[in-house]
């Protein structure tokens, strides 16, 4: 899957294109995430957080409408995180999430990331894509000490810090080597 040329998938006669997100997509991304955040499946974020990281995102679009999104965020030299992977329930079950994840894996590789972390309830989905559960720390002590300096909540979740435990209840920390 090449991120430079969008991939089309059938969706009830419409094609689905995965492309880099733009600022104009932030409202649609927030609408996709809102019901999942209400159910505590994804973390709720302020609008500014999406605008600050819009370059991390790709969106799946059908008939001019965003039907899915996901992001890859670099945490360290060789480590990134898959974040905010969501698909419109009306478009679920058509491989859109897998296609988005494929694009994110490719982007991570292009950035030089060799390991990807995710924090998820969807362990079966991520396991089908090569992610495995992790316990303990996946970085050496020197990197751990550097990561502790980050204000990013995703980094805190990766480090399994006590202060983010309410955000992570029931979630599984998973890792994939590229």
């Amino acid at each position: 899957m090449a991120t430079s040329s969008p991939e089309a998938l059938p969706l009830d006669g419409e094609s689905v294109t995965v492309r880099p997100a733009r600022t104009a997509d932030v409202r649609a991304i927030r609408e996709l995430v809102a019901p999942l955040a209400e159910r505590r499946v994804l973390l709720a974020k302020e609008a500014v957080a999406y605008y600050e990281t819009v370059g991390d995102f790709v969106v799946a679009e059908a008939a001019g409408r965003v039907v899915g999104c996901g992001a890859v965020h670099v945490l360290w030299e060789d480590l990134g995180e898959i974040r905010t992977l969501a698909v419109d329930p009306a478009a679920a079950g058509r491989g859109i999430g897998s296609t988005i994840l494929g694009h994110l894996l490719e982007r991570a590789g292009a950035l030089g990331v060799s390991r990807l972390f995710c924090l998820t309830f969807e362990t079966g989905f991520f396991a089908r894509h090569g992610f495995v559960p992790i316990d303990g720390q996946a970085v050496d002590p020197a990197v751990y000490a550097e990561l502790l300096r980050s204000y990013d909540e995703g980094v805190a979740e990766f480090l399994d810090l006590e202060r983010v435990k309410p955000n992570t209840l029931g979630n599984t920390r998973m890792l994939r080597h590229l």
Side-chain angles (χ1 to χ4, degrees), residues 48-136:
V48 68
Y50 289 104
Y51 286 109
E52 289 173 342
T53 60
V54 73
D56 292 351
F57 277 85
V58 297
V59 295
E61 187 177 57
R65 187 172 71 87
V66 172
V67 296
C69 66
V72 62
H73 183 78
V74 175
L75 302 178
W76 195 251
E77 177 181 9
D78 66 334
L79 181 65
E81 180 183 7
I82 298 296
R83 294 182 172 180
T84 321
L85 184 56
V87 175
D88 184 323
R94 295 182 172 101
I96 295 169
S98 292
T99 300
I100 291 169
L101 182 57
H103 281 262
L104 297 173
L105 293 171
E106 187 174 292
R107 287 180 86 179
L111 289 167
V113 171
S114 60
R115 298 180 302 151
L116 280 173
F117 163 76
C118 69
L119 179 68
T120 186
F121 288 106
E122 301 296 332
T123 56
F125 172 82
F126 282 98
R128 285 191 303 277
H129 294 282
F131 287 78
V132 295
I134 58 170
D135 286 319

Side-chain angles (χ1 to χ4, degrees), residues 6 10 16 26 40 43 91 107 124 130 160 174 178:
V16 175
V26 168
R40 298 184 53 107
L43 284 177
R107 287 180 86 179
D160 204 24
M174 300 183 82
L178 299 181

